Each structure stands twice: as structure tokens, then as C-alpha cells.
Amino acid sequence: VSLKGRSCLTLKDFSSDEIKKLLWVSADLKHQIKHGKQYLPLLQGKAIAMIFEKRSTRTRMSTETGFALLGGHPCFLTSQDIHLGVNESCTDTARVLSGLCDIVLARVYSHSTLEELDREASIPIINGLSELYHPIQILADFLTLQEHYGSLSGLTVSWIGDGNNVLHSFMMTAAKLGVHLKVATPKGYEPDKGVTEEAQRLSKQHGTQLVLTSDPMEAAHGSNVLVTDTWVSMGQEEEKKRRLKDFHGYQITMQTGNVAKPNWTFLHCLPRKMEEVDDQVFYSSRSLVFPEAENRKWTIMGLMVSLLTDYTPQIFMPKF
């Protein structure tokens, strides 16, 4: 499986084998660099443009430090530096950056911005987050679960929260890894209809279970992994009061975990608010949120190496 030259706007575009390859490369880099203390300048002489319309701790730190650790040069561009589609069109920006760097990671409000960049650029484009998908978060989540459980196939993941971009990426990925997905969202906050239809098709194709409900306890029942995310994303601040009311009863607590499997764990992509999950769960031994955050670095490194080189992992492929 070679991914060199590809873009990554959504894991919808990647096959089961391709996603496993990305996770394998990520696990390999983590093993060699973190545990083996090796220096692997796989991206020496290369540069990445990091376009951030929306701020982020994990996406910026993981990408910037990861690219540098691999010998490359990261360039961080905020809306103060580059106004996509405002003082220069996306088309022109894509073509200019194609001549100045080797790859672009863009964290944007609109997924259509990424699609235009990808259409006009001659270099790979990575989705650092859009309103529709957050693929680099899901790679970190599945690497974390693989490390914890030893394999992914047969696990049940329960999403309890908003039908947002992170959930959409779970829905485009879980079935391809043999993972069952149970989703609880309040009425009116369901995932995108088109994403749901594709997820149902994938579930049928790969023989996994996909459950959609508005009952958090139904979703949590018999699950290995409980997952939630912010209820109020950037740009939704004016809706906060209504959203907090609509999501009443969706906080993940030990009571939620009581109906899950005995070995249940908890994930959250961060930043976290108390109304989403209480301290008892968040800071418990069941919580994998901090290894999950660290794995943002190893998986974005694995993705960048895969899109820019023909690197072959040195460790045996983990069990997925």
C-alpha cells in the first residue's frame, strides 16, 4: 500500500488496508523515536504550510513538533498571515504554496475550502479540521485503542454527544477496522444525513453494527469505549445556552459506565468541559485522554511520512 502523493481530506477516501497502513507507520515511528531514541530525518529538506483559521493546542503542537522532529521545517500561518479567499483566492494560494512547500495542513471552518485547495494544489493537502470531518483525530483515537486493547476488530465504540465532525470521522472509519459503533445524539443534533447513509453502507459491507439512538444509556450498553466531545464548538458560542439545555442527561459518568463492559475506557479529543464528562471519569484509570492527546503527534507524523515518502515500517504490523 503506497499513499505517497495523496491528500487526506476525509478517511472516507481511504480503504481498510490504507488506514491500517497509516496506523502501522504511526506505531512504528512512535516505537523507534520515543522508545528506541532514534533520529529519523525522513522529512529533511521538506516544508509544511500550516494554515489555521481556528486555533488549536493539539493540532498545532503535534504537527509543528512532529514535522520538525522528522527533520522538516514547519511554517505556521494564522488568519493574520493568510486570508484564504479574502485578500487572495484559494486557487491562487494553493498554487503559490505548491511552489513554496511540500505539503499543506489546513484547519478551516468550511470543508469546501479544503476541497478547493486540494483541487488547485499540486502537493498533498491534510484536513486539520473542518466543520464536516476531523480525520487526524480519529487516527489518534484508533492508535490509542489498539495500544490499550491489543487489537481493534470486534470492539464497540459508543459516541454520546453532538453529531459533529469527530463523529463523522468515526463513522467513516470504524467499520473498516471491524469496530461496531453506537451513537447517541439529542434530537435535532443527529449526524449529517449523507455521512449516515455512507456509514450504513460501510457497516453492511464490513459486517459491523451501527446503532443510532437518542438514549445515552442505550448507546453505552455493552460498549468497550465511551466517547464524547465538546457540545459547543468554535463558532457556536451564541447557541451555548440552548445547547446545554438540549444535551441535559448526556454527561458521561460512572453511572454511564455501569452499563458498559467491565473493561470500558473513555476518550475525549479535548478541550473538555465539566458538563460533558465528570472528574470521576475524566481523571480515572479508565480515561485514555492523555495518551490519546499524545498520539495526535505520532499519527500526524505517520500521515505526513506516508503522504510524502515511500517509508516502510521497521516493526511488524500490529494486530488490528
Side-chain angles (χ1 to χ4, degrees), residues 141-150 152 157 225 265 267 288:
D141 289 0
F142 279 121
L143 180 62
T144 305
L145 295 177
Q146 193 282 328
E147 290 174 337
H148 181 82
Y149 289 103
L152 295 172
V157 170
V225 189
T265 54
L267 293 179
L288 303 179

Side-chain angles (χ1 to χ4, degrees), residues 157-164 166-167 170 181-186 189 211 213-223 225-231 247-253 255-260 264-268 275-277 281:
V157 170
S158 295
W159 177 273
I160 299 172
D162 193 12
N164 65 10
V166 180
L167 172 59
F170 262 119
L181 189 59
K182 300 169 80 175
V183 177
T185 56
Y189 295 90
V211 175
T213 179
S214 58
D215 181 351
M217 299 304 277
E218 180 187 348
H221 190 268
S223 176
V225 189
L226 305 180
V227 193
T228 193
D229 187 13
T230 182
W231 296 346
F247 281 84
H248 180 72
Y250 274 72
Q251 184 190 47
I252 293 181
T253 66
Q255 187 177 352
T256 320
N258 284 341
V259 300
W264 70 272
T265 54
F266 173 75
L267 293 179
H268 192 303
E275 60 264 17
E276 300 149 7
V277 54
V281 171

Side-chain angles (χ1 to χ4, degrees), residues 198-209:
E198 176 64 10
Q200 289 168 333
R201 188 192 68 78
L202 287 170
S203 181
K204 188 175 181 181
Q205 177 186 340
H206 294 277
T208 60
Q209 186 182 25

Side-chain angles (χ1 to χ4, degrees), residues 8-11 127-129 133-140 165 169:
C8 180
L9 305 192
T10 165
L11 292 170
N127 177 1
L129 175 141
Y133 294 114
H134 197 358
I136 58 177
Q137 178 62 53
I138 294 314
L139 292 173
N165 48 6
S169 287

